[in-house]
Amino acid sequence: MKIPFYPLKSINNQIESELIEAGNRVVKSGFYIMGEEVLSFENEFAQYNSVKHVIGVSNGLDALYIILKGYEILGKLKKGDEIICPSNTYIATVLAILKAGMKPVLVEPKINTYNLDADLLQNALTNKTRAIMPVHLYGSVCEMDLINNFAKQHNLLVIEDGAQAQGATLNGKKVGNLGDAGGISLFPGKNFGALGDAGIVTTNDDILADVIRDFRNYGSKVKYHNIYKGENLRLDEIQAAFLKVKLKYLDNWNNGRKSVANQYLKLITNSQIILPSANQNSVWHQFIIRSDNRDKLQNYLKENGVETLIHYPIPPHKQECLKEWNYMQFPIAEQIASTCLSLPVHHLLKQEEIEYIGSLINSFKS
């Protein structure tokens, strides 16, 4: 049996006719940048997310970056300010902060949730701290009640990195509507992804939204009249059209992921394997197991036809591009990086495939 990690082509093939129709509509429109497709998608996602403003941008990294720049323009942030973020995250979170000229301050995750440990925020707080950037990693919602309460006490902004948790909810609110603003990647491999690079900003702040809309378009509200030293960070019309199609399926596809995850949690009983927390708020962008013999386990699964991936093998502070950070030690993030393994988790997995993966893992001996 051959089981790919994430059969994106097959997933898109399910709705191929709708995607082709959407693409043809854009081609025939003759309008390809900042038109009706983008505006329509922004409105539809805002309604889906129950958030006031959605602004389409070029990708997830730029979504986080443009939020920071927007707050800088409004005088709420400035270069050199410290932004708290998790030590266990994809590097885009850190790069967005650095790109804005600000300083990431890493905080360890909880070992059982993999998300930022809100109990450690106080240790990271300095007189330069101005914001917290929680990452809803692997599709699981962070401890937003604790994070928001801490932020309120210390007059900090909360900027969500919702790249991996589109559609996830907490207390009746969706990710992207749990802080002051949210940056979400719509990379093709995400639960809700485009057919190329794309991203969105979500916020209920009218003034911030207005600034970000202008900044993404060369700082211009009216053509040739530039208010800010903006950038070209726009969402393409054709990606917006594709995203409108896929938004209709997001909840059903997320429910499929939840079903697979719940079955894994019941089926996998190998005492040498550490399972993720059974988080009912998660949309299971990844299903992460851990093993002290991770590489051996991955090879074993590969030999038996099951493709897996590692998210992520190197934490940000150990990356070559951040050599000045390599001396730092974040043992929990490092432990996760050296032991984690991502299993296939998507709505197209068949029952026999789920059971096959479970039985393989149960028979694994380190």
Side-chain angles (χ1 to χ4, degrees):
M1 188 178 293
K2 296 289 185 183
I3 304 176
F5 180 75
Y6 189 61
L8 183 57
K9 182 178 178 180
S10 297
I11 290 170
N12 287 331
N13 281 348
Q14 286 190 301
I15 53 173
E16 180 180 6
S17 61
E18 293 179 74
L19 293 172
I20 290 173
E21 180 183 351
N24 286 340
R25 185 174 69 244
V26 174
V27 171
K28 292 177 180 179
S29 75
F31 203 100
Y32 310 121
I33 300 290
M34 297 290 287
E36 289 300 319
E37 296 290 348
V38 169
L39 182 61
S40 176
F41 166 65
E42 290 173 339
N43 289 335
E44 288 184 22
F45 195 90
Q47 184 175 4
Y48 169 80
N49 214 59
S50 299
V51 70
K52 196 170 183 181
H53 300 283
V54 170
I55 305 104
V57 294
S58 42
N59 56 64
L61 188 155
D62 286 338
L64 297 174
Y65 164 71
I66 203 171
I67 293 169
L68 297 172
K69 291 298 294 183
Y71 279 128
E72 181 183 353
I73 289 169
L74 294 175
K76 294 187 177 183
L77 291 175
K78 64 180 184 304
K79 286 180 171 53
D81 282 347
E82 293 180 356
I83 314 295
I84 295 174
C85 65
S87 59
N88 181 44
T89 185
Y90 184 57
I91 198 171
T93 311
V94 170
L95 292 179
I97 298 170
L98 292 172
K99 184 178 178 182
M102 298 169 196
K103 180 182 178 181
V105 176
L106 304 184
V107 169
E108 286 273 61
K110 285 188 173 178
I111 190 63
N112 61 325
T113 68
Y114 310 134
N115 276 337
L116 187 150
D117 188 344
D119 295 333
L120 300 179
L121 290 172
Q122 185 66 48
N123 298 339
L125 186 69
T126 74
N127 58 6
K128 294 183 178 181
T129 307
R130 294 294 178 269
I132 306 171
M133 189 175 285
V135 181
H136 305 292
L137 203 63
Y138 311 140
S140 182
V141 184
C142 292
E143 301 174 302
M144 293 305 296
D145 290 340
L146 294 175
I147 290 170
N148 283 325
N149 287 339
F150 183 87
K152 186 175 181 179
Q153 291 171 17
H154 300 281
N155 196 29
L156 306 177
L157 296 166
V158 176
I159 302 165
E160 298 175 76
D161 182 339
Q164 301 187 15
Q166 306 99 320
T169 62
L170 178 68
N171 301 327
K173 287 187 174 183
K174 288 187 171 68
V175 162
N177 197 11
L178 300 173
D180 295 294
I184 298 175
S185 169
L186 304 178
F187 180 77
K190 296 296 191 291
N191 292 33
F192 174 49
L195 301 189
D197 274 322
I200 51 175
V201 171
T202 56
T203 186
N204 291 305
D205 186 326
D206 296 344
I207 300 174
L208 176 67
D210 194 51
V211 169
I212 288 175
R213 285 193 182 96
D214 297 342
F215 190 91
R216 71 173 171 179
N217 188 37
Y218 298 104
S220 173
K221 191 182 299 292
V222 178
K223 196 169 185 177
Y224 305 128
H225 293 263
N226 303 86
I227 308 168
Y228 314 114
K229 296 177 182 177
E231 300 181 32
N232 177 6
L233 305 175
R234 301 174 299 208
L235 174 65
D236 290 337
E237 282 283 282
I238 197 161
Q239 296 303 336
F242 292 147
L243 287 163
K244 283 201 299 179
V245 171
K246 298 185 84 173
L247 181 59
K248 296 183 295 183
Y249 298 94
L250 175 56
D251 286 341
N252 284 338
W253 289 358
N254 278 345
N255 287 335
R257 289 174 178 266
K258 292 176 184 179
S259 176
V260 173
N262 287 332
Q263 290 184 73
Y264 279 152
L265 291 170
K266 294 176 182 177
L267 287 169
I268 299 172
T269 57
N270 189 330
S271 61
Q272 299 176 37
I273 303 299
I274 300 172
L275 293 170
S277 297
N279 186 341
Q280 296 307 310
N281 294 321
S282 181
V283 291
W284 298 101
H285 177 59
Q286 305 298 347
F287 188 93
I288 304 293
I289 61 174
R290 289 194 293 119
S291 169
D292 290 335
N293 290 280
R294 187 265 312 281
D295 295 342
K296 182 179 178 182
L297 173 59
Q298 185 176 40
N299 288 331
Y300 166 74
L301 291 172
K302 181 179 179 181
E303 290 167 359
N304 287 278
V306 179
E307 183 183 16
T308 60
L309 294 178
I310 299 171
H311 298 91
Y312 302 97
I314 306 172
H317 67 284
K318 295 298 183 184
Q319 293 287 350
E320 184 178 356
C321 66
L322 295 170
K323 288 181 179 178
E324 66 275 20
W325 288 9
N326 289 175
Y327 74 93
M328 295 181 179
Q329 295 183 345
F330 292 96
I332 297 178
E334 292 163 26
Q335 181 183 358
I336 293 169
S338 65
T339 60
C340 69
L341 188 66
S342 302
L343 301 182
V345 56
H346 54 82
H347 69 282
L348 291 187
L349 273 175
K350 300 174 182 177
Q351 185 64 37
E352 58 265 31
E353 293 175 325
I354 298 168
E355 293 176 359
Y356 177 67
I357 293 170
S359 66
L360 279 177
I361 293 173
N362 286 339
S363 64
F364 173 72
K365 296 179 181 179
S366 59

